[in-house]
Amino acid sequence: MSGLQAVEPGRSVRPARSLGGLAGATARLTVRESRRYLRYMRMIGAPVVPLFRTDTQARVLAALFLRSGETWTLASLARELNVSPSTLHPEVRRLEEAGLITARTIGRSRVLEADSRHPIAQPLTEILTYTYGPNTIIADEFGSIPNIDLLLIFGSWAARQSGEPGPAPNDIDVLVVGSVDRSAVYAAADRSQERIGMPVNPVLASPKRWETSSDALIRQIRSAPTLDLTPAIKHQEQK
């Protein structure tokens, strides 16, 4: 774990994938049949990899390519990304014109879909999985666990996504606050790291521990950048 380690005794942690190279805006990408394998020569110290025009564009692509099982309209996508339809519309139009996404009319709605036939669909999915996938995948896998009060990504992954420069993360640290089933949390972590191709290290904390200022680990998490996935899992519960 990135400076912090909390692994249940007897639980194996898969070795981290080798990460290495974005040179300018070009990614060297190797796709292996069973595992995602991305190599970046360095990690850009910014939340948006400069392959994408805007953060909104990247998030639209992540939603459509990484959550292809869901039905997306312009309105539902705007709600999911917390942006206005007027902001979203130009980005969707550009992606549609580029052939990366398609739109079909069902009733009064235009349903948006990723075009998996596009020549760069597979490598684009790999890049999105690395840059935006962990947030989506972890929220998806942990979202089915009852009684989660707070779900955070912390450590080096959150720091890089928040814009702090530094080396590429080798793993992803996840804090789960609530009265939850420990085995369900570790099973969700295992599923997440299988999909992401990078170790996912969960830390469990009771609501009381999270509110305790004397806990050194909790103080460290609170004082550093975090990514709050709680709204995403609450959104899943409402569906």
Side-chain angles (χ1 to χ4, degrees):
M1 186 159 47
S2 314
L4 298 167
Q5 185 68 37
V7 178
E8 183 177 313
R11 176 176 178 267
S12 62
V13 177
R14 296 179 181 84
R17 294 291 173 188
S18 175
L19 298 176
L22 255 186
T26 303
R28 289 187 300 148
L29 179 67
T30 301
V31 182
R32 289 185 176 177
E33 291 182 3
S34 61
R35 298 287 179 88
R36 296 177 176 88
Y37 184 76
L38 289 172
R39 302 188 64 188
Y40 287 97
M41 291 178 65
R42 67 185 182 89
M43 183 67 178
I44 302 300
V48 182
V49 173
L51 293 170
F52 304 109
R53 180 178 178 274
T54 63
D55 179 61
T56 299
Q57 181 189 77
R59 292 167 64 207
V60 168
L61 288 168
L64 269 61
F65 277 84
L66 302 183
R67 297 166 64 182
S68 57
E70 299 187 34
T71 300
W72 297 105
T73 64
L74 190 69
S76 66
L77 196 56
R79 287 194 299 271
E80 178 70 15
L81 303 183
N82 194 30
V83 298
S84 67
S86 60
T87 298
L88 196 59
H89 185 267
E91 299 289 0
V92 168
R93 178 177 51 79
R94 290 186 187 96
L95 294 173
E96 193 175 352
E97 290 173 352
L100 288 167
I101 68 174
T102 62
R104 54 192 173 92
T105 302
I106 298 180
R108 295 186 176 181
S109 299
R110 294 179 76 237
V111 176
L112 308 173
E113 295 176 321
D115 190 346
S116 60
R117 300 167 300 175
H118 195 284
I120 70 165
Q122 185 174 347
L124 177 60
T125 300
E126 296 289 334
I127 292 168
L128 289 166
T129 297
Y130 180 75
T131 53
Y132 286 85
N135 304 4
T136 299
I137 290 169
I138 289 169
D140 182 38
E141 294 295 352
F142 283 77
S144 61
I145 301 174
N147 303 320
I148 292 181
D149 298 328
L150 185 67
L151 182 66
L152 299 179
I153 294 177
F154 66 99
S156 60
W157 183 271
R160 299 296 87 75
Q161 288 285 299
S162 299
E164 288 190 2
N170 292 319
D171 54 14
I172 302 170
D173 305 322
V174 179
L175 175 71
V176 180
V177 178
S179 303
V180 298
D181 184 326
R182 181 178 293 269
S183 62
V185 169
Y186 283 111
D190 285 339
R191 293 192 302 271
S192 297
Q193 69 185 34
E194 183 69 22
R195 291 174 63 185
I196 297 167
M198 184 185 297
V200 174
N201 305 312
V203 172
L204 284 74
S206 66
K208 182 178 180 180
R209 182 187 177 192
W210 176 244
E211 297 300 330
T212 302
S213 59
S214 60
D215 189 301
L217 175 58
I218 298 301
R219 287 203 311 272
Q220 184 175 348
I221 294 172
R222 285 182 175 276
S223 65
T226 59
L227 303 175
D228 188 356
L229 305 184
T230 314
I233 64 172
K234 298 302 181 184
H235 178 72
Q236 289 183 34
E237 292 173 359
Q238 295 169 4
K239 287 188 176 181

